[in-house]
Amino acid sequence: MVDIKALSRWSSFKKDKLVDLKYQPGFSQIAWFCMVVLYAPIVVLVVFSFNENRSVTTWTQFSWDWYIKAWHNEGIQSASLMSLEVATISAILATLMATMAALVTTRTQPYAGMNSAITIINQPLMVPEIVTAVATLIFFAAIRKVTGITGVGYLIAAHTCFCIPFAYMPIKARLEDMNLNLEHAAADLYASPLQAFRRVTLPLLMPGIVSGAMLAFIVSIDDVVISLFVAGPGETTLPLFILGQIRRGVTPEVNAVATVFLLISVILVTIIFLVGKNKK
Amino acid sequence: MTDLTVNNQTLSSSVQTQEQRQQKVRRLLLAPSLITILIIGVLPLSVVLVYSFLEPGAFGGVKWNFSTNAYVQLFFEADIFDGSLSFTTAYLEIFWRSISLAVMATLGCVLVGFPTAYFIATQPPERRNIFLFLITIPFWTNLLIRTYAMLLILRDEGVINIGLQNIGIIDQAIPLLYTEFAVSLGLIYSFLPFMVLPIYSSMEKFDFRLLEAGFDLYANRLKVLWRIIIPIAKPGIAAGCILVFIPSLGAYITPEVLGGGKSMMIGNLIYSQFGAARNWPFGAAIALILMAVVLISLMVYMRRTGDKGGLSHG
Amino acid sequence: MVTPKNKKGKTMKKTIISLVAATGFGLLSQGVMAAGTLNIYNWGDYTSPEMIKEFEDKYDIKVNVDDFDSMETMLAKVSQGASGYDVVVPGEATIKIMIDKGLLEKVQPNKMSNFKNIDPKWVDVYWDEGRDYSIPYQWGTTSFTVDTDVYKGDINTLALMFDAPKELKGRINMLNDMNDVINAGLRYLGHERCNSNRTQMKELFDLLVKAKPDWRTMDYSIIEKLTSKDVDLSQGWNGASKRARKDRPTLSYAYPKEGFAGWMDNIAVLKGAPNLENAKLFMNYMMTPQAAAMASNFANYANGIKGADKFMSSDLNTSREIVIPAGSPAPEFVPPCDQAVTDLYTMVWTNLKK
């Protein structure tokens, strides 16, 4: 199918330049291949979450068993909740801070030290996870010993830290793309910069903030290595739970949870997508 | 109308001092993120630096005596026969394997990610969003679980091998799993969206009608791609490469699951020093060296892309 | 005009300060654990939920169970202190290290009311002489499992791993564990464990290098490797072998004539445990035959408590993986090697996996 289309585009090169200028041979095939590669594992895990058999290798019969079992599995439940809690709080904190930071780096005149500030914001991206994990473990243990404070705050702090650059990138990109004239006009219209920000800049910036928050959330909820070293008692996140299961073989219960997560996220993202569309 | 003009005039009179003051106040907005990262991200690294210059404690931990042994150990080891110190390539080989795998993963991501991003960017706006949506969805499933799902696809009795056998292309399973190929594939798979999204955003704003001029100049798709599209996508490609290369370099769960754990990566090496090997200073030293590798490659990379950018302008 | 702008500046400052405070608050808000909780840190999928539930109901204590993926992770985390955990379940070599490093609280289970239930052979053990710190949780052996349909010869020899027959070449999974692999190799060669003899260690290194191409993987997930038919032989623990046999009935657990390792995971209490009294209650509870049996029924290993067998599922009491057949060598419990030997082990291991 795709090939024929491509060929016909080639042949119509002269006739319809506008459509065809963008065309690069093979690119659409690669894009579709990319989609297949991205989705193949997902399809497999969704399918096997409905497999009646315990083995995750051979299909026997359709059943809801693993969903029921996962629902009753306290370990999975609390790990999922913990993951959601940590990811939500970290993503919100990181997005707030990243938004503020991005406003500075794009909306103030460059000053001495701004570049180093940007470097610092990107720092978590530059350090391989295992290094951060070990460093944070030692550091947090020292704080715990000195202050005696325990709790999930440490895990959230660590997640917030590595989420900031991920939230920062799309917000900064959006701010750079935004038309400054609009903001200047707003600055003239409204008495205070805060009002101008709230009425004009913020709404325009919203798509950037949403994608920043989503990216931060995803990065947080997927994290294994740093969580493994930082998490305290009762702070097993879903990836940690799965990691603990590996020695005994991952059961389709985990696939079932993953499928549920996937479904929720698809619904959530669809809603955001549709709401955004209606606003336009 | 008149109101506005008056307002404007009053504003402009005090605009300079206010502007300056405001600028300074605004800079404070950087404080939360900077403080967070400095305390949680940077400060712990100094602990690692200190540890790397100490002696290993008995059964883990550190002894507070200054020592450069950790760095010596990286290149020299006591010979297994007579205990004399000799040059060792073991760690260099592990570094080399990790770096080459990370480079392969990055290249793979560019080769697949760039055309994909380009394809999405050239779609009508409505469909673009749908495609972006599709690219990010797999991200919402835990990476560990997805890596396990890849295991199910690649193994001898997995989807690919059984499928090919059923079609009759092969009679015997091709060993795909537990190879460097599987590891690269796993890394590419894990980080592909980190490549697609930045490249897409660098091309999104481009007015593709401008390509017409390009065709007039170069009259050849390949040249147009090379001379116009790639330079435009360059910042995105650069960002994507950084986002893929660094996590691939430190990755240690994907290589273990898909590679079968027979060969070490830097991540495993560091981890084992804090575990079974019970040599924390050495682990700290390798961690720092890994960071140095990252920083050096970033610098080299930036200089190179910077030069190229200069050339294409000139 | 100036004043309102200044005000704005102040509000902005205030916002910033409150945000910074909020971040800090996130760190600080979670205070010390409430009374009536107990935090357990154990291997993944190794703690019977039924047993925990009963303990919770009996003593009105909320139990948090967290999993670790390896002994090393656990040790790295708790050795920094102030981990917040009360009860950990270290293996015999690890617990020795932990006692020597002063990481454990001397809770003296030997003075507790249920101590009489412990099988005497598990009281005077090298890792905790007289049991001042710990009680047995589960114990088992580390050997290997073979598919007897694939290899029909005598399975009770380490040669299958280190000098693999044709059928098994490229179909072997070894544990990704330095000590387990090296010690098995030393047994095969007939050399001492924790060996500092360089000639013998060189011999071992050559053996491993020669054997490595026959190994397909080196991984902890042995049940999955065996049941998915990725491999036909896997080094591993007896209980895991039993669980794998359920899905692949032709598997058989070997008791090699050259010897094999024994291990015991022990319940211990961390120094500075926030819920020390609850941890002691848990320890005493775990010495009841009923609780020990629940743990075994879930984890598929033997425990060290007398009378627990009455409450254990019958196949545990009779299965070939749990009951060591007569005529096999006794399982060897290897103490942790000293740092010089560990460095030598590490060098062999790194060079093997480089």
Side-chain angles (χ1 to χ4, degrees):
Chain A
M1 267 303 281
V2 185
D3 263 328
I4 292 165
K5 242 194 209 163
L7 278 175
S8 68
R9 276 199 200 164
W10 255 121
S11 59
S12 67
F13 178 43
K14 290 250 159 69
K15 257 190 255 162
D16 187 2
K17 266 191 173 177
L18 244 171
V19 178
D20 161 74
L21 285 174
K22 305 169 182 174
Y23 174 74
Q24 287 290 342
F27 275 28
S28 57
Q29 285 87 338
I30 294 177
W32 287 111
F33 171 74
C34 172
M35 291 293 172
V36 171
V37 170
L38 282 178
Y39 278 88
I42 309 265
V43 170
V44 168
L45 82 89
V46 171
V47 167
F48 276 101
S49 74
F50 292 107
N51 189 4
E52 170 249 11
N53 189 327
R54 183 191 156 90
S55 117
V56 271
T57 42
T58 37
W59 175 265
T60 44
Q61 208 192 333
F62 179 90
S63 98
W64 289 100
D65 280 7
W66 297 111
Y67 288 83
I68 297 162
K69 283 205 174 112
W71 182 253
H72 291 292
N73 185 327
E74 264 185 51
I76 289 187
Q77 261 181 39
S78 62
S80 307
L81 287 177
M82 181 52 67
S83 269
L84 285 178
E85 183 192 330
V86 171
T88 309
I89 299 176
S90 313
I92 290 173
L93 285 175
T95 310
L96 265 175
M97 293 192 231
T99 309
M100 292 194 283
L103 280 171
V104 180
T105 55
T106 56
R107 290 293 183 274
T108 52
Q109 285 136 16
Y111 59 95
M114 185 140 112
N115 274 332
S116 359
I118 295 174
T119 314
I120 292 173
I121 290 172
N122 283 323
Q123 186 267 354
L125 294 177
M126 303 301 156
V127 188
E129 245 194 325
I130 181 81
V131 180
T132 315
V134 171
T136 318
L137 166 76
I138 299 169
F139 182 66
F140 280 0
I143 296 184
R144 272 192 201 125
K145 253 190 236 166
V146 172
T147 62
I149 299 162
T150 59
V152 76
Y154 292 100
L155 188 59
I156 291 172
H159 276 233
T160 306
C161 179
F162 69 72
C163 283
I164 290 174
F166 285 98
Y168 172 79
M169 283 184 299
I171 300 173
K172 189 197 83 170
R174 180 82 191 176
L175 277 167
E176 277 170 350
D177 289 344
M178 269 162 53
N179 194 339
L180 277 175
N181 290 338
L182 270 173
E183 284 174 77
H184 287 317
D188 291 345
L189 261 172
Y190 296 103
S192 77
L194 255 189
Q195 262 179 312
F197 173 76
R198 220 188 51 209
R199 301 270 169 88
V200 178
T201 314
L202 192 61
L204 284 172
L205 184 55
M206 222 44 205
I209 293 180
V210 169
S211 40
M214 263 164 50
L215 207 53
F217 184 88
I218 291 167
V219 170
S220 163
I221 211 161
D222 239 9
D223 177 73
V224 183
V225 181
I226 292 173
S227 306
L228 180 66
F229 281 81
V230 175
E235 291 161 26
T236 299
T237 60
L238 195 59
L240 291 191
F241 180 84
I242 297 163
L243 195 69
Q245 302 268 310
I246 285 176
R247 284 214 180 179
R248 312 195 94 189
V250 181
T251 65
E253 269 172 272
V254 172
N255 288 348
V257 181
T259 308
V260 173
F261 261 71
L262 193 70
L263 197 69
I264 294 172
S265 56
V266 171
I267 293 170
L268 208 81
V269 180
T270 313
I271 291 171
I272 295 173
F273 181 66
L274 289 178
V275 167
K277 216 166 100 181
N278 281 346
K279 266 192 184 165
K280 273 179 202 168
Chain B
M1 275 300 273
T2 37
D3 255 35
L4 258 173
T5 19
V6 173
N7 216 345
N8 262 340
Q9 276 169 354
T10 22
L11 257 174
S12 57
S13 62
S14 59
V15 90
Q16 282 219 310
T17 47
Q18 269 183 36
E19 255 310 297
Q20 280 175 349
R21 206 172 287 149
Q22 230 187 316
Q23 290 273 335
K24 276 196 179 146
V25 171
R26 277 194 193 170
R27 283 179 210 166
L28 280 179
L29 286 171
L30 266 174
S33 39
L34 289 189
I35 291 171
T36 310
I37 294 173
L38 282 175
I39 293 180
I40 302 164
V42 180
L43 195 59
L45 290 178
S46 57
V47 179
V48 175
L49 181 69
V50 173
Y51 271 37
S52 73
F53 285 104
L54 297 175
E55 281 175 15
F59 299 116
V62 285
K63 245 192 266 166
W64 286 88
N65 296 331
F66 178 81
S67 157
T68 51
N69 267 351
Y71 293 94
V72 175
Q73 199 184 342
L74 197 62
F75 299 104
F76 298 96
E77 68 182 7
D79 188 84
I80 204 163
F81 265 135
D82 54 14
S84 69
L85 232 49
S86 59
F87 183 71
T88 173
T89 56
Y91 304 112
L92 293 179
E93 281 174 53
I94 293 171
F95 266 82
W96 176 243
R97 174 180 309 113
S98 301
I99 292 170
S100 61
L101 266 174
V103 167
M104 253 153 61
T106 312
L107 281 180
C109 280
V110 174
L111 286 179
V112 181
F114 172 70
T116 308
Y118 181 84
F119 173 77
I120 298 175
T122 52
Q123 296 294 310
E126 271 301 285
R127 281 173 79 186
R128 272 188 227 172
N129 282 334
I130 294 171
F131 273 111
L132 282 183
F133 181 59
L134 286 175
I135 292 274
T136 43
I137 285 292
F139 251 87
W140 292 84
T141 318
N142 189 279
L143 183 59
L144 266 182
I145 303 176
R146 279 184 286 149
T147 310
Y148 266 83
M150 283 200 86
L151 205 86
L152 301 181
I153 292 176
L154 292 176
R155 75 171 19 130
D156 294 356
E157 300 198 348
V159 179
I160 291 181
N161 270 317
I162 297 287
L164 288 179
Q165 277 169 342
N166 283 346
I167 307 171
I169 296 179
I170 51 170
D171 337 307
Q172 257 200 332
I174 326 166
L176 298 168
L177 201 56
Y178 311 127
T179 56
E180 297 217 336
F181 165 76
V183 179
S184 323
L185 199 65
L187 291 174
I188 292 172
Y189 173 71
S190 310
F191 302 120
L192 191 54
F194 282 139
M195 185 65 81
V196 175
L197 295 177
I199 299 182
Y200 167 77
S201 63
S202 67
M203 283 194 293
E204 188 196 8
K205 294 281 136 33
F206 181 63
D207 184 353
F208 283 92
R209 279 173 301 185
L210 295 178
L211 286 183
E212 196 163 356
F215 275 105
D216 290 345
L217 258 172
Y218 303 114
N220 171 333
R221 279 182 202 283
L222 205 65
K223 273 194 178 154
V224 167
L225 179 72
W226 194 249
R227 295 282 170 86
I228 303 175
I229 301 169
I230 289 185
I232 286 164
K234 216 178 203 172
I237 297 176
C241 284
I242 292 170
L243 288 179
V244 173
F245 180 74
I246 295 170
S248 304
L249 193 58
Y252 96 108
I253 290 175
T254 310
E256 207 142 89
V257 172
L258 296 176
K262 271 176 78 179
S263 331
M264 271 194 201
M265 304 279 282
I266 305 177
N268 311 107
L269 183 65
I270 296 174
Y271 183 71
S272 72
Q273 296 306 320
F274 287 90
R278 305 193 299 241
N279 193 340
W280 289 32
F282 188 47
I286 312 169
L288 285 177
I289 300 225
L290 173 57
M291 269 197 61
V293 169
V294 169
L295 289 179
I296 290 169
S297 41
L298 271 181
M299 265 151 57
V300 169
Y301 183 82
M302 277 171 180
R303 180 165 295 175
R304 276 200 52 196
T305 47
D307 279 357
K308 262 191 195 163
L311 279 176
S312 67
H313 282 293
Chain C
M1 268 329 279
V2 178
T3 8
K5 291 241 159 165
N6 252 349
K7 253 187 193 164
K8 292 300 171 218
K10 267 182 192 162
T11 29
M12 211 179 267
K13 248 183 211 166
K14 260 188 198 163
T15 337
I16 293 162
I17 292 166
S18 60
L19 275 168
V20 173
T23 328
F25 190 67
L27 264 170
L28 304 172
S29 62
Q30 306 283 329
V32 182
M33 289 286 165
T37 59
L38 178 69
N39 300 317
I40 300 176
Y41 203 25
N42 196 358
W43 283 106
D45 206 11
Y46 194 44
T47 322
S48 156
E50 193 194 352
M51 167 190 95
I52 294 295
K53 184 92 193 24
E54 200 196 73
F55 177 76
E56 285 184 320
D57 292 347
K58 207 165 170 181
Y59 297 97
D60 193 26
I61 289 168
K62 167 87 185 81
V63 179
N64 291 315
V65 181
D66 291 296
D67 303 340
F68 51 75
D69 67 316
S70 73
M71 219 36 102
E72 285 79 39
T73 307
M74 186 274 286
L75 190 56
K77 257 174 104 165
V78 305
S79 66
Q80 288 299 296
S83 65
Y85 292 107
D86 302 300
V87 170
V88 286
V89 188
E92 77 289 340
T94 312
I95 202 169
K96 178 89 174 88
I97 295 173
M98 293 176 83
I99 292 173
D100 291 347
K101 287 187 72 166
L103 292 172
L104 298 180
E105 188 76 48
K106 195 171 180 179
V107 285
Q108 297 196 299
N110 46 18
K111 304 233 163 75
M112 291 179 186
S113 60
N114 289 332
F115 190 74
K116 57 181 191 298
N117 294 333
I118 293 190
D119 187 332
K121 76 170 175 178
W122 297 119
V123 172
D124 283 317
V125 286
Y126 83 78
W127 55 93
D128 183 11
E129 197 79 34
R131 292 286 180 185
D132 276 326
Y133 294 89
S134 67
I135 59 162
Y137 179 64
Q138 305 272 285
W139 75 273
T141 56
T142 308
S143 165
F144 61 89
T145 309
V146 201
D147 188 324
T148 47
D149 249 9
V150 175
Y151 179 73
K152 303 218 190 301
D154 172 28
I155 64 166
N156 289 327
T157 168
L158 290 174
L160 298 196
M161 287 195 288
F162 296 106
D163 197 3
K166 206 171 77 262
E167 304 93 304
L168 292 174
K169 275 192 199 300
R171 306 289 303 165
I172 295 172
N173 174 54
M174 300 295 282
L175 286 174
N176 194 7
D177 184 303
M178 178 172 91
N179 291 309
D180 280 333
V181 171
I182 292 183
N183 285 338
L186 288 170
R187 280 188 198 99
Y188 181 59
L189 293 173
H191 297 326
E192 278 303 303
R193 262 62 67 197
C194 284
N195 202 318
S196 57
N197 180 321
R198 287 178 180 273
T199 324
Q200 293 185 351
M201 285 304 283
K202 174 77 180 145
E203 201 185 323
L204 168 89
F205 178 65
D206 294 340
L207 174 77
L208 297 182
V209 168
K210 196 181 90 276
K212 193 186 166 196
D214 296 338
W215 302 341
R216 186 165 198 205
T217 51
M218 295 174 81
D219 201 293
Y220 281 125
S221 58
I222 54 182
I223 298 179
E224 206 219 343
K225 289 273 176 302
L226 284 169
T227 54
S228 67
K229 298 195 174 144
D230 273 353
V231 296
D232 299 319
L233 180 153
S234 176
Q235 194 184 18
W237 316 284
N238 54 338
S241 173
K242 179 170 175 291
R243 283 173 63 146
R245 184 161 56 93
K246 253 180 225 156
D247 280 336
R248 198 173 166 185
T250 47
L251 291 177
S252 183
Y253 188 69
Y255 289 96
K257 58 176 189 286
E258 298 90 346
F260 50 91
W263 53 263
M264 172 170 269
D265 290 333
N266 307 269
I267 300 175
V269 180
L270 285 171
K271 192 156 260 173
N275 309 291
L276 182 62
E277 290 312 310
N278 295 347
K280 286 182 186 169
L281 279 178
F282 181 71
M283 229 178 199
N284 201 29
Y285 166 75
M286 283 309 296
M287 288 187 282
T288 60
Q290 290 87 341
M294 278 189 263
S296 284
N297 286 341
F298 183 80
N300 275 297
Y301 292 100
N303 53 64
I305 306 296
K306 282 184 295 183
D309 51 344
K310 274 181 285 188
F311 306 98
M312 274 154 64
S313 57
S314 57
D315 70 321
L316 261 180
N317 289 323
T318 55
S319 81
R320 179 182 148 78
E321 288 89 354
I322 311 297
V323 184
I324 301 173
S328 308
E332 180 197 14
F333 293 82
V334 185
C337 309
D338 62 35
Q339 193 61 43
V341 173
T342 302
D343 289 347
L344 206 57
Y345 271 37
T346 309
M347 205 162 73
V348 167
W349 188 245
T350 312
N351 278 293
L352 179 69
K353 293 183 76 171
K354 73 183 177 189

